[in-house]
Amino acid sequence: MSKKDKIDPRQHSRLVVDGLAQAPSRAMLRAVGFTDEDFSKPQIGIASTWSMVTPCNMHINELADRTAAGADTAGGKSVIFNTITVSDGISMGTAGMRYSLISREVIADSIEAVVAAEGFDGLVTIGGCDKNMPGCVMAMARLDRPSIFVYGGTIQPGPKHRDVVSVFEAVGGVTAGQMSLEELREVETTAIPGPGSCAGMYTANSMASAIEAMGLSLANSSAQEAISGEKKSDCEKAGIAVMNLVKRGIKPSNILTKESFENAITMVIALGGSTNAVLHLLAVAHDAQITLTLDDFTRIGSRVPVLADLRPSGQYMMSELIRIGGIQPLMKTLLDAGLLHGDCLTVTGETLATNLKSVAPYVEGQDIVRDLDNPIKPDSHLAILYGNLAPEGAVAKISGKEGSHFRGSARVFHSEETALESILDGRVGPGDVVVIRYEGPKGGPGMREMLSPTGAIIGRGLGDKVALITDGRFSGGSHGFVVGHVSPEAATGGPIAIVEEGDMITIDAKTKTIDVELSSEEINKRLLNWKPEPPYTTRGLLSKYARLVSSASLGAVTDIN
């Protein structure tokens, strides 16, 4: 933007409240607390994802109030509004999980609708669960008005270092005879002690870190506990900071660049983050009109190591990373090593390098984040695989602990439920490759997460003995030899649709391949005889989503022509 350009901090709200014809608008707003003075102030929408649906979001009403107070103090007029959330942890393993990824689009659409309709000049979004976080950022990118994202914060660990994944894995432990029902109940009643997002480097903490690295959050917004003074202060500062962006005319399009997305990918890899980050970053890039592909994850992953020993494959939780300084010292390390783009603009109005200039290194003796010369894994744990099973790509999460190569016999299931039943009953054993299909974006519909099956596999002690592949996706809490996002999906006639019981499947994280050991002639013959499954439903949101949604390899977005 040229210095000569005059910035109008009320360019949107004045269309709604100024002038004779807008008297009815002002009358309506007076009823919700506007005064005469408020009509001359920039209006700041505060998108709150508060609900009592899940502990991830149960505290966000207070955070929204704090954010609004910050914006008002800085000369704005805040307006709080709500959007929905869907709990993955509660709906996991049920038909309700079909709505989880769909909720990302509903959230983005609803924020876009309110902000555009009401004429807000700036926006602060506050998210605390896996899908409302990318949904918030997708809306920010679409609207392109001065915006900041605030993370609701991580939950504190339960007793004995437990979290929600401990409960899923305990279920598998019970069926394997390694845990009693009384012990399961003790885990169940203590694992989740209060508000905040799931405790490991699962999807919420992965996305919070990625969003901060992209420049859309204030420093350490991703690394604060939900119930903390730091998080309350973060909200107040965000309200003040968005007014600075409004006055300076700094929008997401000034912040979101190819380089800022590369910074986000780098952080997800260094932290050992969730496969869902791949899906969500592709979707955010689509809304920001930035070209980002699966191959960018491979390119960046070849030079970025995994440094943080965090759950699910590691030992530590986000609250423990917070106590040694959060992600800022890691960002400084990566910047100094030339692995981050320091010239990217951020919501502070300064570059990433400027923000990190005075950040101190981690304390001596900590073993949560390793040095660059002693990585947990020298390259990315997120492997983008191609082959005759996934011509458009698949996303594997392979930490290295389970090895880098797996060859086994296919056990084929047309739903998550049937696969889980066989795993819990002991009908899946060492050397099997569990194939769960018709769970993709269209076929599910909704691309359900497979935490219940992967948790059961780990709980039964089969984490390094069984592989699982799916056109669905995985929870950030999943670990083991798992491959998701197989594209094209079964519902559209992808090769995963014609795998038969007993077919040999090879997965190789080093060569980045995933293949069924069949000739191309046999694959084509089976595809010619393949018939699609009937749709899950022909009515309502699920049906609408199935008709609109793109391939997972494109981010599973719903507005591609």
Side-chain angles (χ1 to χ4, degrees):
M1 180 177 293
S2 169
K3 291 183 179 180
K4 295 181 181 180
D5 292 336
K6 187 175 181 181
I7 296 165
D8 179 5
R10 295 184 56 240
Q11 62 174 305
H12 300 289
S13 61
R14 72 169 62 254
L15 301 176
V16 175
V17 301
D18 285 7
L20 177 66
Q22 297 311 117
S25 304
R26 295 192 296 273
M28 295 284 284
L29 290 169
R30 291 181 192 279
V32 296
F34 273 62
T35 64
D36 286 341
E37 292 75 21
D38 290 333
F39 293 120
S40 63
K41 298 174 183 176
Q43 290 187 31
I44 307 299
I46 312 293
S48 168
T49 58
W50 171 84
S51 74
M52 292 303 290
V53 168
T54 168
C56 309
N57 295 64
M58 62 187 287
H59 62 300
I60 285 179
N61 53 351
E62 181 182 357
L63 301 186
D65 288 339
R66 296 265 182 170
T67 305
D72 292 343
T73 299
K77 172 56 181 174
S78 62
V79 181
I80 298 174
F81 66 97
N82 275 91
T83 185
I84 67 160
T85 199
V86 168
S87 172
D88 294 358
I90 296 170
S91 62
M92 194 76 69
T94 75
M97 187 64 191
R98 300 180 193 281
Y99 289 91
S100 170
L101 183 59
I102 297 175
S103 75
R104 185 190 72 180
E105 313 307 306
V106 175
I107 291 159
D109 292 350
S110 65
I111 294 174
E112 177 190 353
V114 173
V115 173
E118 299 298 313
F120 296 144
D121 301 297
L123 173 65
V124 181
T125 61
I126 311 172
C129 200
D130 296 4
K131 306 310 169 299
N132 59 51
M133 298 170 68
C136 284
V137 179
M138 289 164 68
M140 291 162 62
R142 290 179 197 172
L143 289 158
D144 200 29
R145 302 183 189 191
S147 305
I148 293 180
F149 176 78
V150 174
Y151 179 38
T154 191
I155 196 172
Q156 296 176 339
K160 301 181 183 179
H161 213 237
R162 290 175 178 147
D163 64 5
V164 65
V165 176
S166 305
V167 189
F168 281 95
E169 294 180 359
V171 172
V174 169
T175 64
Q178 299 168 0
M179 181 178 285
S180 69
L181 288 173
E182 290 77 14
E183 289 170 317
L184 170 61
R185 176 172 170 75
E186 198 257 330
V187 174
E188 174 190 327
T189 56
T190 61
I192 303 173
S197 300
C198 299
M201 190 48 64
Y202 311 143
T203 302
N205 283 318
S206 297
M207 286 308 300
S209 302
I211 294 165
E212 181 177 331
M214 266 196 292
L216 290 178
S217 294
L218 296 176
N220 263 335
S221 182
S222 67
Q224 295 162 343
E225 289 184 337
I227 302 301
S228 67
E230 291 80 9
K231 181 48 64 184
K232 294 173 184 176
S233 176
D234 179 42
C235 293
E236 292 166 1
K237 290 176 182 177
I240 295 169
V242 77
M243 281 299 298
N244 177 53
L245 297 179
V246 168
K247 292 169 184 175
R248 295 178 61 180
I250 297 174
K251 301 177 291 186
S253 59
N254 303 121
I255 295 170
L256 295 177
T257 63
K258 183 64 176 281
E259 289 74 23
S260 70
F261 278 93
E262 291 183 354
N263 286 346
I265 294 169
T266 296
M267 286 307 299
V268 170
I269 293 168
L271 291 165
S274 168
T275 55
N276 279 317
V278 178
L279 193 73
H280 297 326
L281 289 173
L282 290 172
V284 175
H286 168 73
D287 280 323
Q289 301 181 64
I290 302 293
T291 300
L292 191 72
T293 70
L294 288 174
D295 292 339
D296 288 312
F297 289 83
T298 298
R299 174 176 56 83
I300 296 166
S302 67
R303 60 186 176 87
V304 176
V306 179
L307 298 175
D309 188 18
L310 298 169
R311 289 191 177 188
S313 56
Q315 303 180 60
Y316 296 101
M317 297 188 184
M318 193 66 174
S319 59
E320 292 160 309
L321 179 62
I322 290 168
R323 291 189 183 95
I324 64 166
I327 72 167
Q328 291 272 299
L330 174 56
M331 292 175 72
K332 182 69 160 58
T333 296
L334 294 169
L335 177 67
D336 291 345
L339 296 174
L340 288 178
H341 301 284
D343 57 351
C344 289
L345 186 66
T346 74
V347 291
T348 65
E350 303 293 339
T351 66
L352 183 67
T354 300
N355 293 344
L356 294 173
K357 192 172 183 180
S358 61
V359 171
Y362 290 119
V363 295
E364 289 290 331
Q366 64 82 25
D367 60 353
I368 299 173
V369 180
R370 295 194 187 180
D371 295 331
L372 283 165
D373 59 1
N374 180 34
I376 291 170
K377 193 172 184 291
D379 56 2
S380 180
H381 63 302
L382 299 175
I384 308 301
L385 310 181
Y386 292 94
N388 65 11
L389 259 182
E392 293 179 4
V395 181
K397 184 179 185 180
I398 300 174
S399 69
K401 294 179 180 178
E402 56 284 284
S404 60
H405 183 274
F406 196 100
R407 180 176 182 269
S409 176
R411 298 296 313 282
V412 182
F413 303 94
H414 281 210
S415 72
E416 177 186 5
E417 287 87 350
T418 55
L420 179 61
E421 182 180 345
S422 289
I423 294 166
L424 293 176
D425 286 352
R427 286 176 278 163
V428 170
D432 286 342
V433 177
V434 176
V435 179
I436 306 178
R437 61 192 180 198
Y438 295 103
E439 291 285 8
K442 287 183 179 293
M447 205 179 181
R448 289 193 289 178
E449 290 181 349
M450 303 293 149
L451 182 54
S452 294
T454 60
I457 287 170
I458 296 296
R460 292 186 67 84
L462 297 170
D464 58 349
K465 301 177 182 67
V466 168
L468 191 155
I469 70 172
T470 180
D471 52 8
R473 59 196 175 92
F474 294 108
S475 162
S478 293
H479 59 116
F481 215 108
V482 296
V483 183
H485 308 200
V486 172
S487 302
E489 61 176 289
T492 62
I496 191 173
I498 54 84
V499 175
E500 296 178 359
E501 197 84 4
D503 286 345
M504 296 304 296
I505 293 173
T506 301
I507 307 163
D508 196 313
K510 289 185 177 178
T511 61
K512 306 288 192 298
T513 54
I514 178 168
D515 292 292
V516 58
E517 295 179 13
L518 298 172
S519 67
S520 56
E521 291 78 13
E522 177 62 19
I523 291 174
N524 289 333
K525 177 183 174 182
R526 292 188 188 181
L527 285 172
L528 284 173
N529 294 322
W530 170 79
K531 294 181 180 179
E533 294 280 298
Y536 181 80
T537 181
T538 58
R539 298 185 63 195
L541 181 58
L542 294 177
S543 177
K544 186 191 320 183
Y545 182 83
R547 290 196 301 272
L548 294 174
V549 70
S550 74
S551 166
S553 64
L554 299 175
V557 295
T558 55
D559 62 347
I560 291 179
N561 292 330

